[in-house]
Amino acid sequence: MPASDKIAYYFELKDFSTVVAVVRTGSSGPVIENIREFPLANGAEIEAGLKDLAPDIQSHAISAAVLLRGRSGRLRISLSPVGEWLQQPECAALTPAYQAMVDAGTGLAANGSGKNLQAIEAVASVEQVEGLLKKWNVTASRLTAAPIATAGALISWLQSHAGTVALLDFGETVSHWLVVERSGVVAARSSALTMDVVAESIREELGLRFKGAAAKLFFNDQYDFTEIGPKIGAKLATRLKPELATLPGGSSALFFCTGLLAPQKWFGDVLADSIGCGRLDLDVKKLCTEAGLTFARETQPLSPAWLGLLQGIRGAASSPAAWIAEWRHPSAPALIPAPEAKPAASVPAPPVPAIAPAAVPPEPTAPAAAVRPQPASAPAKKPAPPVAVVETPAVTSKPTPAAVPARPVEKPAPPKTPSNVPAAKAPAPAAAKPAVPAPAAKPAPVQPAKPATIPPVKDEPSAPPARKASSALAYPLPGSKAAAAQPAGDEPVRKKPFLKTGAGMAIVATVVIAVSVIIWLVVQMQAEKEAMAREQANAAQTRKDMEKARQEAEAKAQAEAEARRRSEADASTKLAALDAARQKAENEAQQQAAARLANARGNLVVATQPAGATVRLNLLLTQRSPAKFEDIKIGEYDVVISLDGYDEVKIKARIEENQTADLGVIALHRQIGDLRVESTPPGAHFELRPQKLVDAGSDPVSGTTPAKLTGLPAGVYSIAIDYMGATRQTGTVEVPAHAAATSSWEFPLGSVKITSTPSGATVLQAGKVLGQTPLELENLLEGEQAFELTCDSYEPVHMSGLVVKNTTRAFDIKLVPMDRLYRNNELDQKPVPIVQEPITLPPSLPLYGTYRASVKMVIGKDGVPRDLALVDASNPVFGQACLVAAAKWRFKPALVKGKPVSTQVSLPFVQAAE
């Protein structure tokens, strides 16, 4: 494995099993080294498998990514936050709960753009899993939702295959439907099919007594469900078909069951056939290869039941990780879909209407047209949400009297006729730009135009003008006398209403559009809320109907069971009564018969050949044959006839009322047997005598072992046996009738094995040569045995030892050479000088200084030194003088085990000159 590669561990814990994968990660991508599945009920197998997959787990904890399928969790698809879901009654038992959520379409983190696939799980269930991991010495580095990962794997498969998959996430107490399409997960529902329902179906089909036995049989890989599987599937289909009918596309979907062990794949196939759905034909290895996963072993077995774990491995190697939803602790912030950042919707701004000539005021009574913004020349943009059509009454304003100049009235100029007044030219309409609806801004104050700059306009008032006290008109018509009486330059001008101006109409249109958008948004939110309410109501009604059907079915089953129990109880009562009556009648009849026969009597006669045998009747009455038993109770008796030396006879005798039973003359057979005499060692002489004839001095039966004696009269015999001077042994032996007995004897003999170094030494005992070493002597009498070993150039050795019965005593002797030199550490006592010759210094030596020398010599057994040699000397002349003196020394020899031996010593000499 390259140094940069790392080993990662992945666990998927389901209700019935755990799947473990060992993955090697490196630059080339994840490589799955091994993947195995273990039944969750077999803790010993899991621990042994973990030690095999992760040898280091015995010394320290390993870190692993864990995919969890909770035992009590819930799944759903919704736009609402998880917190609202937890407040519903169906989730009360799960609160507080772990939470997990992904976008139902993309599988990524929820962003508020669509519906979300949500999952919750009780804290107690997750803590139980954490405790189990701790027991295995595993630490969860990441805890994710297994059903969501399985759904993601199927969505990946659907990218290259058409159709819909109905995924049944099967559990022990809780199961769910997930409808999976290429676009994501489109539906999530709970299912009433649990392990308890399946076990009950198996129990009923096989006639078992307990559901626990049915569940164990379901997970037994050795049991063949080929015959009863379709029958079980047909029963379960009555529950699954109504559930499948409520799912979108469920009738034509491919069926896939997860949550079970790989060997239980047959169960998913049976359910698919029973509910009329196609089986999901999925090549797991091909799917993994397309996802970038490789395997270290080509023969690695794979199962569709492991899709969730494989998706988890794939998600860990990709970013962003799709369909990987982490379980979040209740103390973490609640999972609320974050709204996706979108550009604000483009709502077309109302077009700025062309300013109509002031001479054309709006109709006072006609309603305003529906507001539908139509941009005149703006470029096309993303369509905005439809704008509700709101019809409002036209805004009419009362005409405002024109401001009258404050200067003095002059003589009016000749009035101008309308034909001479040019029409006011309307400005071109401005193009309206789309804008987001916003609150209408306050219009800027309109400054009254100066009289000289406002062209004369034709004005038709919508209401009759107010009259003054005089008959003169407040606003004289052109050409009238009143108009002629006014100066032309001071002609009064009436102010135009603000709402009739372009700015006023734009504000009105903007307000209308804003109100319309707000109303549309409110209507949409209300419609979505009503749709969600309808969906929840439908789901609640479905659950209610299913619960009602389940309760009715359970009530019906309970009623049928109660009726069956009552029927069985009644039948048992009647049978018990009949049996009691029958037993009573039989007891009465037996009592009457016993009372009649209690005093009945009869006789028995027994004769034997030879006579004199003992006759015992029921081991109580005894007579010698010929025997006659009179006035005995009727019935069947055991008769036993015995005589020494003859076979015992046992017969039955039936005594009838007032009758004599005669068994006739019974011939007795002589008893003989065989005897085998054996001894260890063989060749022993024996004598055999019957004990009854010992005093009569009859001839004994003798022989040599081994011997077999046949046709001996049965009885007890005395036997005496001896072997080669060993102590004679005596005893008794019983020869059985028509059988063989064995008398075995064993003499206390042993053996001796003698070896020497060197071999070839002569072994003697009491001066008799027995052989040369190595030598093994057998059949020696038990006790002390002494031997002597001799060999040329070696010292003789005497040895002795105790010979034990049936054992071999070994002697291993190391011969000592006669001239052997013993080392100092082998000596029991070192040589001691007894004669020390002084050193005679030659005249040539100077008379001053100190002389030293060391002489090496061998001190023999006689204490005389030999083989002298000068080791070192401060002066050669002095050394020679030391050798001469040392040769005349005598010693008490060294001792080993009390014997003198030769040894080598170094003798130092020191002489100071005078």
Side-chain angles (χ1 to χ4, degrees):
M1 183 180 73
S4 59
D5 291 358
K6 296 181 178 179
I7 293 296
Y9 298 96
Y10 293 82
F11 284 65
E12 182 180 9
L13 272 79
K14 297 178 279 191
D15 288 11
F16 311 104
S17 68
T18 179
V19 188
V20 183
V22 182
V23 181
R24 173 165 49 87
T25 58
S27 58
S28 59
V31 178
I32 300 177
E33 296 285 343
N34 201 346
I35 181 169
R36 289 174 61 185
E37 183 179 41
F38 306 98
L40 203 58
N42 194 338
E45 182 180 351
I46 295 176
E47 293 180 2
L50 290 178
K51 292 178 182 178
D52 184 29
L53 294 173
D56 295 341
I57 200 172
Q58 302 182 57
S59 59
H60 60 81
I62 63 171
S63 178
V66 180
L67 288 85
L68 171 62
R69 188 237 182 254
R71 290 178 175 268
S72 58
R74 298 289 188 275
L75 292 170
R76 75 165 186 174
I77 294 180
S78 177
L79 288 169
S80 302
V82 180
E84 295 183 3
W85 186 20
L86 291 174
Q87 296 176 2
Q88 297 183 8
E90 65 179 20
C91 302
L94 300 179
T95 306
Y98 275 76
Q99 310 169 19
M101 182 171 64
V102 294
D103 188 281
T106 64
L108 301 176
N111 55 18
S113 61
K115 295 183 178 181
N116 303 306
L117 177 57
Q118 302 172 352
I120 57 176
E121 180 58 55
V123 171
S125 178
V126 178
E127 290 178 347
Q128 183 180 6
V129 171
E130 291 175 344
L132 189 61
L133 292 173
K134 184 177 180 180
K135 177 182 177 183
W136 296 340
N137 210 11
V138 177
T139 302
S141 61
R142 189 178 190 185
L143 196 63
T144 56
I148 295 178
T150 303
L154 293 176
I155 293 172
S156 300
W157 179 80
L158 286 172
Q159 300 308 308
S160 56
H161 301 77
T164 302
V165 177
L167 170 62
L168 177 61
D169 182 39
F170 182 75
E172 183 176 4
T173 57
V174 177
S175 300
H176 293 90
W177 287 100
L178 291 174
V179 180
V180 180
E181 294 181 351
R182 185 180 298 180
S183 59
V185 182
V186 299
R189 302 279 193 279
S190 61
S191 175
L193 183 66
T194 61
M195 190 61 228
D196 187 69
V197 176
V198 175
E200 178 63 22
S201 300
I202 297 175
R203 187 195 66 80
E204 293 178 354
E205 188 63 33
L206 295 178
L208 300 177
R209 188 174 181 182
F210 301 106
K211 286 192 290 185
K216 291 182 179 179
L217 192 64
F218 177 77
F219 290 104
N220 188 346
D221 300 344
Q222 306 301 322
Y223 190 82
D224 187 5
F225 282 89
T226 304
E227 182 178 352
I228 69 167
K231 299 178 183 179
I232 297 172
K235 287 185 177 182
L236 301 179
T238 58
R239 292 175 177 264
L240 295 181
K241 285 183 178 180
E243 297 178 354
L244 195 64
T246 63
L247 301 175
S251 58
S252 60
L254 298 173
F255 178 80
F256 179 68
C257 180
T258 185
L260 293 170
L261 284 81
Q264 274 68 52
K265 181 180 180 297
W266 64 268
F267 182 66
D269 297 339
V270 166
L271 290 184
D273 297 339
S274 300
I275 62 180
C277 289
R279 300 180 183 180
L280 182 65
D281 186 12
L282 188 146
D283 188 345
V284 180
K285 192 162 189 178
K286 181 180 178 182
L287 178 64
C288 292
T289 303
E290 293 174 351
L293 301 180
T294 57
F295 297 88
R297 297 185 300 166
E298 292 296 331
T299 59
Q300 171 68 54
L302 295 174
S303 170
W306 306 344
L307 285 180
L309 182 66
L310 295 171
Q311 178 67 20
I313 298 173
R314 176 191 179 190
S318 59
S319 180
W323 305 106
I324 304 298
E326 291 200 31
W327 288 110
R328 295 167 56 88
H329 193 273
S331 61
L335 287 173
I336 301 176
E340 182 182 15
K342 290 186 178 181
S346 274
V347 180
V352 179
I355 300 177
V360 185
E363 293 292 332
T365 58
V371 179
R372 296 181 182 272
Q374 300 290 339
S377 59
K381 291 189 177 181
K382 183 178 179 180
V387 179
V389 177
V390 182
E391 295 186 355
T392 56
V395 180
T396 57
S397 58
K398 295 181 179 181
T400 304
V404 179
R407 59 178 178 268
V409 177
E410 299 178 357
K411 185 178 180 179
K416 299 180 179 179
T417 62
S419 59
N420 297 330
V421 179
K425 197 170 185 178
K433 294 183 180 181
V436 179
K442 293 182 179 180
V446 180
Q447 299 294 334
K450 294 182 181 181
T453 60
I454 297 178
V457 294
K458 182 179 181 181
D459 191 9
E460 295 182 2
S462 57
R467 297 181 178 273
K468 296 183 180 181
S470 64
S471 60
L473 292 174
Y475 302 96
L477 296 175
S480 64
K481 293 182 179 180
Q486 285 185 340
D490 297 331
E491 183 178 355
V493 179
R494 192 175 67 179
K495 183 179 179 181
K496 184 178 182 179
F498 174 74
L499 293 179
K500 293 183 180 181
T501 64
M505 295 180 69
I507 291 173
V508 170
T510 301
V511 171
V512 171
I513 291 173
V515 171
S516 301
V517 171
I518 293 173
I519 293 175
W520 177 81
L521 290 175
V522 171
V523 171
Q524 285 296 103
M525 292 176 63
Q526 185 65 28
E528 185 174 348
K529 184 177 293 185
E530 291 176 356
M532 289 176 60
R534 285 194 300 272
E535 182 179 353
Q536 293 178 355
N538 293 338
Q541 185 63 35
T542 301
R543 290 194 298 271
K544 184 177 179 181
D545 295 342
M546 293 175 62
E547 181 65 20
K548 182 178 179 182
R550 184 185 66 77
Q551 293 177 355
E552 292 176 352
E554 290 181 354
K556 182 178 179 181
Q558 292 177 357
E560 293 176 352
E562 182 64 22
R564 184 165 59 251
R565 187 190 62 77
R566 287 196 298 269
S567 176
E568 292 175 354
D570 294 341
S572 299
T573 303
K574 292 178 181 178
L575 290 175
L578 293 175
D579 187 66
R582 179 186 60 78
Q583 187 68 29
K584 182 179 180 181
E586 290 179 355
N587 292 338
E588 291 177 354
Q590 290 176 358
Q591 291 174 0
Q592 293 175 0
R596 182 180 60 81
L597 298 176
N599 298 318
R601 294 289 187 272
N603 303 318
L604 174 64
V605 175
V606 180
T608 64
Q609 180 61 39
T614 301
V615 180
R616 293 191 301 274
L617 193 64
N618 273 8
L619 302 179
L620 297 176
L621 303 177
T622 303
Q623 293 184 17
R624 292 283 182 179
S625 65
K628 183 175 182 179
F629 300 92
E630 296 179 338
D631 196 28
I632 57 177
K633 290 185 178 181
I634 63 174
E636 188 175 68
Y637 288 84
D638 293 326
V639 180
V640 180
I641 304 171
S642 60
L643 182 62
D644 289 344
Y646 292 85
D647 292 336
E648 187 180 68
V649 177
K650 294 181 179 180
I651 56 176
K652 296 282 187 180
R654 183 72 184 177
I655 309 301
E656 301 293 342
E657 186 177 5
N658 300 325
Q659 299 290 329
T660 298
D662 190 351
L663 300 181
V665 179
I666 300 173
L668 303 180
H669 299 282
R670 188 77 181 182
Q671 295 177 340
I672 59 174
D674 301 334
L675 176 63
R676 181 176 178 83
V677 183
E678 300 174 343
S679 69
T680 303
H685 179 75
F686 68 90
E687 292 181 355
L688 187 69
R689 297 173 185 270
Q691 277 193 341
K692 291 184 178 180
L693 301 178
V694 170
D695 297 335
S698 62
D699 294 335
V701 178
S702 61
T704 302
T705 60
K708 183 177 182 180
L709 307 177
T710 60
L712 295 175
V716 179
Y717 291 79
S718 298
I719 186 171
I721 186 168
D722 54 1
Y723 176 79
M724 294 179 63
T727 303
R728 187 171 190 173
Q729 300 184 35
T730 60
T732 60
V733 60
E734 182 178 1
V735 177
H738 310 295
T742 300
S743 180
S744 298
W745 301 87
E746 185 176 3
F747 291 91
L749 300 179
S751 60
V752 171
K753 184 178 181 181
I754 303 173
T755 58
S756 67
T757 304
S759 60
T762 301
V763 181
L764 299 94
Q765 186 178 38
K768 182 181 178 180
V769 177
L770 303 179
Q772 292 182 332
T773 60
L775 178 64
E776 187 168 355
L777 303 174
E778 298 180 347
N779 298 330
L780 298 178
L781 293 176
E782 185 178 26
E784 189 77 19
Q785 298 285 345
F787 303 93
E788 181 182 3
L789 265 67
T790 62
C791 186
D792 293 341
S793 302
Y794 289 89
E795 296 181 0
V797 177
H798 295 272
M799 59 187 179
S800 63
L802 183 64
V803 176
V804 181
K805 179 178 63 176
N806 299 330
T807 60
T808 299
R809 176 66 184 271
F811 295 95
D812 187 12
I813 306 300
K814 293 184 179 180
L815 300 177
V816 179
M818 292 185 177
D819 58 349
R820 179 194 169 191
L821 297 179
Y822 283 81
R823 293 190 298 273
N824 192 35
N825 58 358
E826 296 178 324
L827 301 177
D828 295 336
Q829 182 176 334
K830 297 180 181 180
V832 178
I834 55 178
V835 176
Q836 300 182 19
E837 179 69 20
I839 301 172
T840 303
L841 295 178
S844 60
L845 285 177
L847 299 178
Y848 55 88
T850 300
Y851 301 98
R852 290 182 176 84
S854 177
V855 177
K856 180 171 66 175
M857 66 185 72
V858 174
I859 300 175
K861 298 178 181 178
D862 55 0
V864 177
R866 69 175 185 270
D867 301 334
L868 283 77
L870 184 63
V871 177
D872 59 53
S874 59
N875 187 288
V877 177
F878 178 76
Q880 290 299 322
C882 291
L883 285 174
V884 173
K888 297 177 182 180
W889 284 38
R890 296 295 180 265
F891 295 84
K892 182 180 179 181
L895 299 179
V896 174
K897 296 182 180 178
K899 295 181 180 180
V901 296
S902 300
T903 184
Q904 188 179 55
V905 298
S906 292
L907 190 63
F909 290 88
V910 179
Q911 181 76 35
E914 296 179 358

